[in-house]
């Protein structure tokens, strides 16, 4: 049975992989990630929490876009997964959420300012 500790560990693994993608990307790819991240933030702002106050609908929407970009082997997938992780961590009910939040914030700081995107 998976516990919240397992979920935290899985999120950390995904987050570290995403940070590595960002760190190893050249400027054009970083811009694509930043634009995707901005699009993801804009999308989640339009999606409410579920009846229990969970961000699950937002997270699912980000995972759907993440999967599409990942299938296309597009680095922009990193922006969508970063937002999904950020939304889950923001629920503040996982062990170590504060440390995960620090890593998320650090990853976001490594992104350039987003340019004009499909949603902007």
């Amino acid at each position: 049975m998976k516990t919240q500790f397992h979920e935290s560990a899985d999120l950390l693994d995904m987050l570290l992989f995403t940070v590595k993608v960002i760190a190893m990307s050249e400027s054009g790819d970083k811009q694509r990630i930043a634009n995707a991240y901005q699009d993801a933030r804009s999308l989640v702002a339009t999606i409410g929490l579920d009846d229990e106050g969970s961000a699950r609908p937002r997270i699912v929407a980000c995972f759907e876009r993440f999967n599409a970009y990942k299938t296309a082997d597009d680095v922009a997938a990193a922006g969508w997964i970063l937002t999904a992780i950020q939304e889950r961590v923001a629920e503040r009910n996982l062990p170590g959420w504060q440390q995960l939040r620090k890593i998320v914030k650090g990853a976001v700081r490594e992104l350039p300012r987003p340019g004009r995107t499909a949603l902007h």
Side-chain angles (χ1 to χ4, degrees), residues 25-97:
S25 292
E26 298 194 14
S27 64
D29 283 343
K30 279 187 183 180
Q31 189 64 60
R32 287 192 52 70
I33 296 167
N35 293 348
Y37 174 77
Q38 182 63 38
D39 284 348
R41 297 303 317 153
S42 294
L43 178 65
V44 300
T46 68
I47 301 172
L49 302 176
D50 70 12
D51 293 338
E52 287 109 35
S54 169
R56 184 165 175 74
R58 296 172 178 177
I59 296 165
V60 169
C62 287
F63 265 104
E64 288 171 357
R65 298 281 178 97
F66 164 75
N67 286 330
Y69 281 103
K70 184 179 175 192
T71 298
D73 201 28
D74 189 332
V75 72
W80 288 94
I81 195 67
L82 183 59
T83 302
I85 294 168
Q86 188 174 31
E87 287 296 311
R88 179 61 183 102
V89 171
E91 291 181 319
R92 299 180 176 191
N93 61 359
L94 287 171
W97 69 266

